[in-house]
């Protein structure tokens, strides 16, 4: 909570044992505590869902900057998990005498749905099988959590040593469809096992 703390360091050689004595000077300054914590957004349903996350910044607690950043990251994740990965978000701090008011603002942006899926790296495995195991459905609402599940489900087949989903940017000259997200799934197949036999007299 000490946002204005300063630190300085000095070292003085000790001629007797060929070492240096290091001294750190810390000035703590004011201890700030959380005042009003506010979330403002353009979608009332998403604001309501984020209220539980905001509860970690309790009025009167030391104003932990890392906890504030973690809270903002959780709100961004929640929005991306509810179909809004292209949201914009900012945070504003207002200083009082010994308290900080924090306001989070977001613009949810358009609702995004899944587009096409391109498979890269599959030489022996049928691409339709990979799409089936991923449960890929064009038009499905974007969800950060479900994308992780799709990636894990393909890996769980045991056919691959590496599976990763990457968003695909539009080609040069193409207009971005802000309501659609296309992906590429990169896979590395496990070494194939073969059984050989022969007959003879």
């Amino acid at each position: 909570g000490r946002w204005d703390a300063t630190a300085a360091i000095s070292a003085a050689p000790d001629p007797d044992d060929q070492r240096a004595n290091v001294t750190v000077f810390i000035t703590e300054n004011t201890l700030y505590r959380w005042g009003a914590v506010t979330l403002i957004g353009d979608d009332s349903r998403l604001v309501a869902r984020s209220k539980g996350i905001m509860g970690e910044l309790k009025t009167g607690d030391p104003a932990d900057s890392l906890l504030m950043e973690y809270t903002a990251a959780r709100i961004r994740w929640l929005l991306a998990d509810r179909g809004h990965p292209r949201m914009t978000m900012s945070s504003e701090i207002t200083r009082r005498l010994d308290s900080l008011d924090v306001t989070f603002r977001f613009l949810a942006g358009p609702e995004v749905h899944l587009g096409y899926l391109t498979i890269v790296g599959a030489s022996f495995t049928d691409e339709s099988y990979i799409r089936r195991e991923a449960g890929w459905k064009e038009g499905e609402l974007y969800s950060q959590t479900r994308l992780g599940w799709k990636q894990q489900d393909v890996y769980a087949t045991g056919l691959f040593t590496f599976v990763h989903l990457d968003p695909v940017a539009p080609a040069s000259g193409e207009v971005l469809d802000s309501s659609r997200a296309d992906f590429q799934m990169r896979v590395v197949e496990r070494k194939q096992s073969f059984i050989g036999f022969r007959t003879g007299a």
Side-chain angles (χ1 to χ4, degrees), residues 36-40 51 54 102-105:
V37 180
T38 309
L39 176 63
I40 300 173
K51 290 297 185 183
M54 301 287 293
V102 58
T103 302
F104 297 102
R105 300 179 186 273

Side-chain angles (χ1 to χ4, degrees), residues 129 152-161 188-191:
Y129 172 75
Q152 182 60 36
D153 287 344
V154 173
Y155 182 79
T157 62
L159 298 175
F160 309 101
T161 60
V188 176
E189 293 174 311
R190 293 187 184 277
K191 187 176 180 180

Side-chain angles (χ1 to χ4, degrees), residues 20-53:
N21 296 318
V22 178
T23 305
V24 180
F25 301 92
I26 298 175
T27 304
E28 294 183 339
N29 290 317
T30 305
L31 171 62
Y32 289 98
R33 299 182 181 276
W34 290 124
V37 180
T38 309
L39 176 63
I40 300 173
D42 60 345
D43 188 315
S44 58
R45 294 171 303 168
L46 294 174
V47 170
R49 287 182 176 273
S50 302
K51 290 297 185 183
I53 299 174

